[in-house]
Amino acid sequence: GAVVSQHPSWVICKSGTSVKIECRSLDFQATTMFWYRQFPKQSLMLMATSNEGSKATYEQGVEKDKFLINHASLTLSTLTVTSAHPEDSSFYICSARDTSGSYEQYFGPGTRLTVT
Amino acid sequence: QKEVEQNSGPLSVPEGAIASLNCTYSDRGSQSFFWYRQYSGKSPELIMSIYSNGDKEDGRFTAQLNKASQYVSLLIRDSQPSDSATYLCAVKYNYGQNFVFGPGTRLSVLP
């Protein structure tokens, strides 16, 4: 149980284009999903908290107009990187929290984005 | 500012030994604590959660929590080379939904 998927697992795009990443909870409902970014040899950095049916809460320093988050259902959240630049190249990971009340977060496999 | 601290390592232990990973946190109001394992190039995987003072055992893993001293540890018994990874400590504070992650400790189990 507690499986989270992400799609795509890796993507290469050109500078200036937009990329959408999907995060799905496969066997549980998640009212809350989280989006993280991780650069090589660094720890996880929380970008935003996504709540189903409401606007995402962004961490300080994260541009909400650049990183668009939509949490339209209890099993799906999407992150769109708009007008991507090479410095956006990173490992993007989502996690989901079960609605059952447990605080545990389950991570998706991650999406490796390379902007050329 | 809420902080979670871990020794970055690397921590090297021989195969079969006990690996001890430590984590300290700054906010006494913290209520939930988690250990994640992350292999290189992969996403974190939940190993243990602990909410009450004392020990919690799951297979070869034991999490220990001491809220008075504000530390949480993870013991790995009979360490295997496959345990070689970065171990992340995560703390959920009393308010808010998100975790604060430590920088991680890199563990190397030598055959």
Side-chain angles (χ1 to χ4, degrees):
Chain A
V3 178
V4 178
S5 70
Q6 267 183 258
H7 178 79
S9 55
W10 59 271
V11 57
I12 300 173
C13 70
K14 292 186 176 181
S15 187
T17 61
S18 296
V19 174
K20 179 185 282 189
I21 302 170
E22 291 187 350
C23 177
R24 293 181 185 272
S25 56
L26 298 185
D27 53 0
F28 66 99
Q29 293 185 325
T31 52
T32 305
M33 291 184 173
F34 306 87
W35 287 96
Y36 295 85
R37 181 165 55 181
Q38 187 174 38
F39 293 105
K41 299 192 185 299
Q42 295 186 22
S43 191
L44 296 169
M45 187 192 82
L46 178 66
M47 299 176 67
T49 301
S50 166
N51 291 294
E52 186 265 337
S54 63
K55 290 184 178 181
T57 302
Y58 291 82
E59 295 300 300
Q60 191 172 8
V62 178
E63 301 175 56
K64 61 181 181 181
D65 294 330
K66 179 171 181 64
F67 299 99
L68 302 179
I69 292 172
N70 184 283
H71 192 159
S73 77
L74 286 173
T75 59
L76 173 64
S77 177
T78 60
L79 168 68
T80 300
V81 183
T82 63
S83 187
H85 291 284
E87 57 265 31
D88 298 324
S89 299
S90 187
F91 191 41
Y92 291 85
I93 315 172
C94 73
S95 70
R97 179 188 160 193
D98 196 320
T99 57
S100 68
S102 163
Y103 293 119
E104 296 169 350
Q105 289 185 30
Y106 299 94
F107 284 86
T111 296
R112 196 161 300 282
L113 170 64
T114 301
V115 184
T116 61
Chain B
Q1 182 170 343
K2 299 178 179 58
E3 294 182 348
V4 177
E5 297 184 348
Q6 298 178 253
N7 288 328
S8 61
L11 171 66
S12 296
V13 299
E15 184 174 356
I18 296 175
S20 178
L21 305 163
N22 299 314
C23 170
T24 59
Y25 57 95
S26 61
D27 192 327
R28 285 191 175 276
S30 304
Q31 55 180 196
S32 309
F33 307 86
F34 307 87
W35 282 100
Y36 287 84
R37 175 176 62 196
Q38 186 176 24
Y39 292 111
S40 180
K42 303 294 185 181
S43 66
E45 172 192 9
L46 180 66
I47 299 176
M48 297 276 286
S49 59
I50 186 166
Y51 302 93
S52 305
N53 278 329
D55 295 359
K56 179 180 178 182
E57 187 175 317
D58 184 358
R60 296 186 296 114
F61 299 99
T62 299
Q64 299 175 319
L65 174 61
N66 185 324
K67 290 188 178 180
S69 299
Q70 295 174 238
Y71 85 79
V72 56
S73 62
L74 180 70
L75 301 178
I76 306 175
R77 289 181 299 282
D78 188 24
S79 296
Q80 302 297 310
S82 58
D83 295 326
S84 298
T86 296
Y87 289 80
L88 301 170
C89 172
V91 176
K92 182 191 175 309
Y93 291 94
N94 262 347
Y95 54 90
Q97 302 182 75
N98 55 295
F99 293 173
V100 177
F101 280 89
T105 297
R106 190 157 56 93
L107 172 66
S108 179
V109 180
L110 308 174

